Amino acid sequence: MTQNEHNFRTLARFRPETGGRILRRDAALSGAAVRAGILCLAVLAPEGCRKATPAAERASAPIEVAAAPALITGITQRIEITGDIRPMATVLLASKVPGRLERLALERADGPAEPITEGCIIKRGQTVARIDTATYEARFKQAQAAHAIACAQFDDAAREEKRTLALFEKGAVTEQMKDKAVTARTIAEAARSQAEAALALASIEFRESTPASPLDGVVTRKHLDEGNLVNAGAPLLTIEDTSSVKIAAAVPERHMAAISPGRTRVVIRYTSGASLEAAVSRVYPSIDPATRTGTIEIIVDNSAGKLRAGGFVKVQIDLERIEGAVVIPASAVRTDGNQAFVYVAENGVARRRPVKLGIRDFEMVQALEGLSAGDIVLISAGQELSDGVSIKTAQTSEGSAR
């Protein structure tokens, strides 16, 4: 047996409960052997004890977190909603007279008629259709002739009445003859009025057999083709005025009081990516009880024709502006139930602080209580923050951290 083996076996028989004494049969073990055994155990100590040190260091390492200072500046409360594009005016052009639709085309004084299709540009007063025009022209001429006859009969009756009254004054005719002359003139006058009314009606029907556009616009729908029989009131075309358009948007009821026509500014963002600044043109007086929203209207020039009725846009509304407010990034705010709070950097550690919030921009929010200018609020972290955890802050675009 080597000296080292003897030493380890002796150390194995070492019992703490004996007060550090060696068993009796090993009482002769030298102090040098004990010291050698202890040294060997130290060399062969468990490797895990040395590995725990780096893990503990990582647990206590600061969390790297983005941060920004609370600033004193102005903030505007903004909301973004969807708006519907509507034409300034829409007309459903219908036939006022029955008959056969002979032509559905744009008549031009300087050229042949152009067949109407969706997208055609129409001017106010331009004839767009012909409905049995020969029939209505004949009725108009008939009414003209009847009116002329009635006028001649009235003139004759009026002259006869005048002669009879003169003779009656001289006693040359009886009172009965006088009364007949007066009655004949009255009947002739009524017949003339009736003929005038019939002529006016025939004139209207003749004119309506060639309907014209009541506004400048564009044809958005063609309801019938040529050759169809139409009744009075049958739709022919839908015409829309899109030289300017109305953008109608539903606003939550709680924001309606802050919107005023002509004063409230908006930014309109189109699906193409372009944007336009404008003002609210009109605020509708009622609230929709189903959605609890009110409607605003914005009039936008569309002379270039880029906006199409029925489309949609995004509408950003500036509701309220506050100057000199304490403002922080909205991404720094957290909630616990109904309580809003932030984490603030204090001497290298995160401190939870409750806050009371005011108006909100899309990226910034007003802090009414709980923060002062210069406080460093923590925006994001690779893990969940908690009160008292060590942190290392990094600068963000909202401001510099310290």
Side-chain angles (χ1 to χ4, degrees):
M1 179 184 297
T2 65
Q3 182 63 38
N4 283 340
E5 290 174 343
H6 176 75
N7 290 342
F8 274 117
R9 289 182 178 181
T10 303
L11 187 60
R13 291 194 293 272
F14 182 79
R15 297 291 186 270
E17 62 271 17
T18 63
R21 298 190 302 276
I22 305 299
L23 296 178
R24 184 169 51 190
R25 63 180 176 176
D26 298 314
L29 181 64
S30 66
V34 174
R35 287 192 297 272
I38 294 174
L39 179 60
C40 290
L41 287 176
V43 172
L44 299 175
E47 192 68 20
C49 295
R50 291 195 297 272
K51 289 184 178 179
T53 301
E57 290 177 355
R58 287 195 299 270
S60 62
I63 299 174
E64 187 168 348
V65 57
L71 303 175
I72 298 292
T73 185
I75 183 171
T76 301
Q77 184 179 20
R78 293 186 174 96
I79 59 172
E80 187 173 78
I81 54 181
T82 300
D84 298 325
I85 302 175
R86 301 175 182 175
M88 282 297 293
T90 301
V91 171
L92 182 62
L93 184 63
S95 172
K96 291 185 69 174
V97 296
R100 184 175 299 279
L101 183 60
E102 298 171 347
R103 178 186 292 175
L104 190 62
L106 297 177
E107 296 190 3
R108 304 183 185 278
D110 56 351
E114 176 187 347
I116 291 178
T117 58
E118 285 79 1
C120 284
I121 304 299
I122 294 181
K123 297 296 182 182
R124 181 186 180 92
Q126 192 170 16
T127 300
V128 297
R130 288 186 173 272
I131 304 170
D132 265 350
T133 52
T135 300
Y136 289 103
E137 183 179 12
R139 291 179 181 177
F140 173 67
K141 291 180 178 179
Q142 184 182 39
Q144 281 183 317
H147 178 258
I149 292 173
C151 287
Q153 290 176 342
F154 171 77
D155 291 342
D156 182 63
R159 288 192 297 270
E160 183 63 25
E161 178 190 33
K162 184 177 181 180
R163 286 194 297 268
T164 303
L165 289 176
L167 292 174
F168 180 75
E169 292 294 332
K170 296 178 181 179
V173 296
T174 63
E175 185 174 357
Q176 182 180 13
M177 296 177 64
K178 182 201 73 169
D179 292 341
K180 286 183 177 182
V182 171
T183 301
R185 193 270 309 162
T186 302
I187 293 174
E189 184 177 14
R192 186 187 64 175
S193 297
Q194 186 178 36
E196 287 177 350
L199 177 60
L201 181 61
S203 176
I204 292 172
E205 290 180 340
F206 182 40
R207 184 172 63 251
E208 292 297 338
S209 69
T210 55
S213 174
L215 78 167
D216 295 340
V218 58
V219 176
T220 58
R221 186 176 179 186
K222 177 181 174 182
H223 296 271
L224 289 173
D225 293 320
E226 294 177 354
N228 280 285
L229 287 172
V230 298
N231 296 319
L236 302 176
L237 302 171
T238 298
I239 305 172
E240 294 180 353
D241 176 9
T242 57
S243 58
S244 295
V245 294
K246 299 181 289 187
I247 296 176
V251 179
E253 181 182 7
R254 64 182 180 275
H255 296 311
M256 288 297 291
I259 300 177
S260 300
R263 297 178 58 187
T264 302
R265 305 298 298 176
V266 300
V267 176
I268 302 169
R269 291 188 173 87
Y270 306 127
T271 53
S272 62
S275 62
L276 172 70
E277 292 189 7
V280 174
S281 304
R282 181 184 175 196
V283 177
Y284 287 22
S286 61
I287 299 293
D288 186 339
T291 62
R292 308 312 306 174
T293 58
T295 302
I296 64 171
E297 190 174 273
I298 307 150
I299 296 177
V300 177
D301 178 69
N302 189 39
S303 54
K306 294 183 178 180
L307 299 179
R308 296 178 180 273
F312 73 94
V313 294
K314 293 293 184 180
V315 181
Q316 176 184 302
I317 307 175
D318 293 350
L319 295 174
E320 182 182 3
R321 176 77 178 175
I322 296 178
E323 300 293 344
V326 178
V327 176
I328 61 173
S331 56
V333 179
R334 298 164 169 81
T335 57
D336 184 3
N338 294 326
Q339 176 63 58
F341 68 93
V342 297
Y343 284 108
V344 179
E346 293 183 1
N347 300 321
V349 298
R351 293 299 183 192
R352 174 169 167 162
R353 189 179 296 180
V355 291
K356 182 179 179 181
L357 303 179
I359 66 174
R360 180 185 294 264
D361 199 341
F362 296 120
E363 298 179 353
M364 309 297 288
V365 63
Q366 178 192 16
L368 296 174
E369 297 177 3
L371 291 173
S372 301
D375 287 342
I376 303 300
V377 294
L378 308 182
I379 298 176
S380 61
Q383 63 188 86
E384 287 295 327
L385 292 174
S386 59
D387 191 60
V389 69
S390 296
I391 57 169
K392 180 181 179 182
T393 57
Q395 182 174 346
T396 67
S397 59
E398 286 84 356
S400 60
R402 62 173 183 264

